[in-house]
Structures are given as structure tokens and as C-alpha cells.
Amino acid sequence: MGMKQTVRDFFKQFPDDDTCLAHLFEVRYGKNYTCPKCKKSGGWYRLNKVKAFSCQSCGHHIHPMAGTIYEGSTTPLQLWFYAMFLFTKSRNGVSGKELERQLGVTYKTAWRMGHKIREHMARVDGDEPLGGPGKTVEVDETYIGGYEKNAQGGKGKAVVLGMLEQDGDVITRVIPKATREHLVGNIREHVKPSTEIHTDEAGGYARLKHSGDYTHKTVQHRAKEYVGPSGETTNSIEGFFMHLKRTIKGTHIWVSPKHLSKYTGEAEFIYNRRNEPHLILSDLLYGYPKG
């Protein structure tokens, strides 16, 4: 299921809610799932009036939507799948208004669906630690939102820390403040020891030099330096942040600090599949918790 899949292809694969529910059951439980009640394998059939399957041996019910982002939702499952399809087709994200228009649901429902899909993206993406011996991770922080123009950390601004392995994945964290505690603490949590770390000259990173766990090199941005004498750079993580800000400003206009981590999680998910865009939709449609 690739990025070139058309709307027609999508609806051919998922023509109705029953097909979507059967897909969800098979991905989570498999065709020959052993009934947890009677211990017999296979033999599951779809119930007519509820979104569930029943064991033909003992009548035990399985609800495939339980434990997923769809739990408790009255929105047709096909619309949820189509919403994820829309996310994979847009380079700059999908707004609540766009989902409302495309799905024919209320704005409140569209907004909630968008957030649930972003949560699903973050869970599927995971947070495997970056770096290791011979690897380089670029680290930087940026400020998003607020109403004091050009005021770093100004009124209403949120701080996003980004850690990006060169030629690898990115991890972001929304942090309370750009202090040494939050910067270095997150680096220790998400970057393996023996990694070469590149940052700018911000004081919050200074402790890395003396930690013994990392090789720390800095780029002197104040001196208009963008690539240091030993090749140190933060260009890739800065590029990621530029795209994140473009997406928020262009698609969503404004994002509250409370929900910012969902949007950064979406940006991570898409970025980490930049070399395999055909995996974006299949990862979403197959990345459910196993039953």
C-alpha cells in the first residue's frame, strides 16, 4: 500500500465498515486466534448488530476496536481509515477543518479524530534510543507559539527539544524550560552513550562536555558558524524544525502548548519514514496493539 495509492484504490480495499472491522480483527488477533475462554482456535464470526466477533464454539465476544483509538467512537471505521489515508497524502498535515470537509463530520468530531490519529502515529513510531558508537546526533531546541513576537520563551511560547541522528530518526520532546536539567536529562534518556553530539553554544548543553558519556561538539552560531571545523552541524535538526513550524503556521494556524506534543509526534512519524513513504499508511493500518 504505497504513497501512489489513489482514493479509488483505497475504497476498493476498504469498501465498507465490515471490511475495515475484519481487517482490524485479523491484524490484532490473526485468522486462527485461540479463544481465551474455551481455548479453541479459529472459528470466529461477525455479529450483526455490534462491532464484534463471536467464537463459534463458546460464544465468547471479541471487540477489535477496544484498546485502540477507535474505542467508544460512533464514527464509521471506514471514515477513520480514510482520515489516516488523508494524513499520508499531505506533506504539511491535515487540519480539523479539512477533515470536517472531507469526512462530512462535525468540526468537534474531526478535531478529536485528528488528535487520536496523531497519538496513534506517536505510539506506532515509538522512541528507540538514538545514536551509539560511531553515530552522530544533532540536538537543538526551538520555541513555538506565543504572542510576543521574536521573544524567545516569551508569553505563551512552548519549548521543543529535538534530537536527530544523522541519516537516522528524530525524537522530539516538549519541555517546560530550556534549562540544563531538561536538556541534558532528555538527551541521557533518548541518546545512547558513546554518541557524538552536536549542539549550538547554548549554556544548557555545557554539562555534556564533562559527562564522559558523550563526545560533545558545538557550532558557534553567534559567530555566524553553521559548520564547525570538525564538521559539527545542527543543520538537519534545524531543517526539521523549519518544516514543523511551516506545518503549524500554514495548516493549523495555531497550536496550544497542551496539544503541541501530538503535532510534533506526527512530524516525527512522517520524517522517520522519509526514505520509505510507502510504509506510512501501512504502518498506521497495521500498527495496532496485538490482542
Side-chain angles (χ1 to χ4, degrees), residues 78-197:
Q78 187 194 43
L79 287 188
W80 277 99
F81 281 23
Y82 184 54
M84 289 193 283
F85 172 81
L86 294 174
F87 269 80
T88 70
K89 292 297 178 183
S90 172
R91 179 169 165 74
N92 291 313
V94 184
S95 69
K97 279 290 180 189
E98 179 69 6
L99 286 178
E100 176 189 18
R101 187 176 70 82
Q102 292 268 10
L103 304 180
V105 296
T106 66
Y107 178 73
K108 183 179 178 182
T109 295
W111 185 88
R112 179 180 175 275
M113 288 174 74
H115 277 322
K116 287 288 184 182
I117 290 170
R118 292 181 189 99
E119 287 174 11
H120 181 53
M121 285 178 163
R123 194 192 62 77
V124 171
D125 198 45
D127 281 318
E128 283 295 312
L130 305 174
K135 302 283 188 180
T136 299
V137 171
E138 300 177 20
V139 181
D140 197 15
E141 79 282 352
T142 195
Y143 297 83
I144 293 178
Y147 56 80
E148 286 187 12
K149 208 170 184 181
N150 301 322
Q152 285 202 337
K155 244 351 183 187
K157 284 188 179 287
V159 189
V160 180
L161 174 68
M163 296 157 280
L164 188 153
E165 184 175 317
Q166 290 180 355
D167 301 318
D169 286 359
V170 66
I171 291 176
T172 60
R173 283 293 176 270
V174 179
I175 58 177
K177 291 181 180 179
T179 59
R180 184 179 302 174
E181 174 193 359
H182 295 297
L183 297 175
V184 176
N186 274 283
I187 291 170
R188 288 189 183 283
E189 184 178 348
H190 297 292
V191 182
K192 296 175 185 174
S194 302
T195 301
E196 182 174 303
I197 293 180

Side-chain angles (χ1 to χ4, degrees), residues 206-241:
R207 188 185 293 172
L208 291 171
K209 274 190 169 33
H210 312 292
S211 70
D213 295 326
Y214 305 103
T215 302
H216 180 211
K217 296 183 178 180
T218 57
V219 187
Q220 303 298 318
H221 282 171
R222 292 192 194 97
K224 304 295 183 187
E225 180 181 83
Y226 297 98
V227 180
S230 305
E232 50 269 26
T233 179
T234 55
N235 288 346
S236 295
I237 187 61
E238 287 168 18
F240 172 83
F241 280 150

Side-chain angles (χ1 to χ4, degrees), residues 13 21-22 35 44 47 53 57-58 109 120 131 144 146 172 180 190 216 247 261-262 267-268 281:
Q13 183 175 6
L21 194 68
C35 178
W44 295 91
L47 294 171
F53 288 79
S57 298
C58 72
T109 295
H120 181 53
I144 293 178
T172 60
R180 184 179 302 174
H190 297 292
H216 180 211
T247 295
S261 63
K262 295 185 180 75
E268 280 181 53
L281 185 56

Side-chain angles (χ1 to χ4, degrees), residues 1 5 8-28 31 46-48 50-53 64-65 70 76-82 84 285-286 288:
M1 195 184 304
Q5 188 192 31
R8 182 180 292 178
D9 293 332
F10 174 83
F11 284 110
K12 187 176 179 182
Q13 183 175 6
F14 298 110
D16 51 41
D17 252 31
D18 285 346
T19 308
C20 296
L21 194 68
H23 168 85
L24 189 59
F25 179 87
E26 190 170 321
V27 169
R28 297 194 66 196
K31 288 182 178 177
R46 172 71 204 278
L47 294 171
N48 286 328
V50 290
K51 295 177 179 179
F53 288 79
M65 292 165 63
Y70 317 120
L77 200 52
Q78 187 194 43
L79 287 188
W80 277 99
F81 281 23
Y82 184 54
M84 289 193 283
L285 291 176
Y286 286 86
Y288 302 106

